[in-house]
Each structure stands twice: as structure tokens, then as C-alpha cells.
Amino acid sequence: MSDNTFTYVKIPVNSEEPIEELSASKSGGLEKDALVKNAKAYFQQQSNSDQPSCEIMALSIPLPGNQYRAVSLYSSDLPGASTKENERATKLVTACGHSLPKAICGDVFIGRAYDNEEFEWERVDFRASDASPTAAWCRVARQKGGGGGQGGSASSLNSLVQQQMNVSGGPPHVVAPQTQALYGMDGAPAVVEDWGSWTQSADEVEAKLSIPSGTKSKDCKISFKRNQLSVAVHGETKISGILFSAIVPDDCTFTMEDAKDGTRDLCITLTKANEGSTWSFLTETA
């Protein structure tokens, strides 16, 4: 890849289609950014609209904690745009610590930029591997000062607003993500995993595992750490990994309940350290 080009990605709404890496020239800078131009042209063609337009969502704003790397998502705001949820994009948004007023719909583009006021604004690479909810930059984003939902600020969207105005000449459509019942949140369907399922509320996450009847507390070994959870039953590891977000270990508990099918349920309650955050997964491999 040339020093004069950058990589960004397209995440198709059809989850069976691969995430596509695209490249464009850096020469336009902030005022004539190629990613915004290309995204608007793509959405205009999709919607047969007379005007090019797109909505910009700040996933991570530039802060010292993320080395001034901003990540933004570009979706269609035109009439006739797809109303089908882009599940991969929605998961990525919540993985940055944001909650959502609505699901992300249709095809989307995601790009990254270096945005430090002491230096010139510049596009930097965002690759397909970065479009995973378990990517390192997502973990940074959802921490305090990391630029995502735990460290974001509406005032830090100035560069995006200016970018939108310069490229389109029209009013900006820049949004910061905000809440919806997703990922087992507040009555939404439980998230099903290989080991069981989990749900969440604003301040807690509850994981439920089916265990053999007759299982006692002494048969369960559960370790609560601020950023990790491990669960073993009868010596077999069921869950072991890094949590989506920090918990308060001393407030976490587990109980066992008899299930209707004759087995038992191991119910684990995790207290969120960041109350109000929406988790998009429970653990990733440690």
C-alpha cells in the first residue's frame, strides 16, 4: 500500500458476504476526504437519490488514550435506504462502549484517521481484522479516556462536522450513538452461547449454564476478577476469558436453581463497573 493511500472497509448488511477492504487516496485531506466522497456516491446510487449524502457516526473520538486515532462509521441516511439490520456493524458499535437508539441498517463503511490538532489531519488504515468486536482498539475505546462510549464527548465531533460540511456543502448528519434493547438488554432475547446464555440490565449481567442434577456448590469453581471470568463445573472449564467490560468482583454472586427438565441451572450475576453500558459479548479468549 502506497504512503499516499489508505485502507478502509465496507461491511455488507448480508453477514454471509465478507468484509471488503478498499483503498483511496489521502490527497484530499479533511476537506475533500475520499472515504466520505465514495460513501456518499455509493449510497446515492443505491437509493437513486438526486443528492449525495451519508450519516457519520463517531465510534471512537481522537484522544491521547487512543493515540489520537478516530474511527467513524458511514451509513445511508437517504430515503429508500435498507432497513435490514447490519448485525456486524451493530455489534462493533456496542463493542466500543456505545448504546444505540436503533440498530445499524444497510451496508456501512468504516475508516480511521489521525486527528491531533498539533499535526495535520490524516487518514490511516482500518483493515478487515479491525472490524471485529474483540479487536484491541474496541477494548481501548470502551475504557475511560479511550474515546468510545466511556470516554466520548459531543464537543469532540467538530472535525467530523467540518468534514461533512466541506464535502457535501449541506447540513451535517453527525451522530453519537445512544439505547435500545440489544444483546439481552432489558427484556431482549437472551444471547445464546455454546455453554448457555446471558442477559443484561443497566447494572448487571446474568449468565445461565445448564449443569447436571445433583451438582453442589463445591462442584463449581468460579473466579471473579475485574476484567476476567472463569467458570468450571466438576473440573470442566465452561467459561474462561476476558470480559467485555470491567465488573465489581465483590458484588458478583452465583446461585443454583432446579430446571424443568430435571437438570440444574447455574446462575452467575456480574455487577457492571460501568453502569449503563451495553455489552455486545460476555468474554473473549484470555
Side-chain angles (χ1 to χ4, degrees), residues 60-62 66 68-72 111-115 121 123-124:
S60 178
I61 61 173
N66 58 26
Y68 297 100
R69 261 61 174 179
V71 177
S72 302
R112 176 184 280 135
Y114 178 74
D115 189 4
W121 184 95
R123 279 291 179 191
V124 292

Side-chain angles (χ1 to χ4, degrees), residues 5-275:
T5 60
F6 67 94
T7 299
Y8 63 102
V9 302
K10 172 188 170 185
I11 304 180
V13 65
N14 183 349
S15 59
E16 295 183 359
E17 294 182 24
I19 295 173
E20 183 179 357
E21 289 190 354
L22 304 168
S23 63
S25 173
K26 295 181 180 181
S27 61
L30 175 62
E31 293 186 1
K32 298 180 180 179
D33 179 40
L35 195 165
V36 174
K37 180 180 178 181
N38 294 346
K40 288 185 175 185
Y42 178 84
F43 296 134
Q44 180 183 18
Q45 184 178 34
Q46 274 196 326
S47 302
N48 294 317
S49 173
D50 294 333
Q51 295 292 330
S53 182
C54 72
E55 184 171 79
I56 305 175
M57 177 178 289
L59 302 188
S60 178
I61 61 173
L63 292 173
N66 58 26
Q67 299 180 319
Y68 297 100
R69 261 61 174 179
V71 177
S72 302
L73 180 149
Y74 303 80
S75 60
S76 178
D77 59 356
L78 294 168
S82 173
T83 57
K84 181 180 179 181
E85 180 184 358
N86 189 320
E87 295 181 357
R88 290 179 292 187
T90 301
K91 287 182 178 180
L92 195 61
V93 173
T94 58
C96 295
H98 299 290
S99 51
L100 291 165
K102 60 181 180 180
I104 306 300
C105 296
D107 296 341
V108 304
F109 297 92
I110 298 180
R112 176 184 280 135
Y114 178 74
D115 189 4
N116 183 343
E117 292 182 356
E118 296 182 7
F119 300 93
E120 185 176 359
W121 184 95
E122 182 183 15
R123 279 291 179 191
V124 292
D125 291 340
F126 187 94
R127 300 190 176 278
S129 59
D130 293 318
S132 167
T134 59
W137 73 271
C138 292
R139 191 181 308 124
V140 171
R142 60 179 179 264
Q143 295 173 355
K144 185 176 182 180
Q150 299 304 320
S153 167
S155 63
S156 299
L157 298 178
N158 288 341
S159 292
L160 289 175
V161 174
Q162 186 63 45
Q163 179 187 59
Q164 178 80 359
M165 293 180 69
N166 288 336
V167 175
S168 70
H173 291 83
V174 182
V175 299
Q178 297 173 39
T179 276
Q180 174 192 332
L182 294 171
Y183 308 112
M185 173 68 84
D186 293 333
V191 180
V192 178
E193 308 280 6
D194 292 340
W195 45 259
S197 63
W198 59 277
T199 57
Q200 62 181 310
S201 64
D203 55 359
E204 291 182 339
V205 177
E206 182 174 287
K208 184 174 291 188
L209 300 79
S210 180
I211 56 178
S213 60
T215 300
K216 306 294 184 183
S217 296
K218 65 180 181 180
D219 301 317
C220 302
K221 185 176 181 180
I222 302 174
S223 173
F224 300 111
K225 295 183 180 180
R226 182 170 174 80
N227 293 295
Q228 288 185 295
L229 172 68
S230 63
V231 179
V233 180
H234 294 293
E236 180 183 355
T237 299
K238 298 293 186 180
I239 303 174
S240 180
I242 300 170
L243 292 163
F244 174 85
S245 188
I247 59 173
V248 183
D250 290 345
D251 292 345
C252 298
T253 61
F254 74 93
T255 59
M256 285 181 287
E257 302 173 355
D258 292 327
K260 294 180 180 179
D261 61 1
T263 62
R264 305 199 80 188
D265 286 334
L266 174 61
C267 303
I268 301 169
T269 301
L270 308 175
T271 301
K272 295 179 179 179
N274 301 312
E275 185 175 343

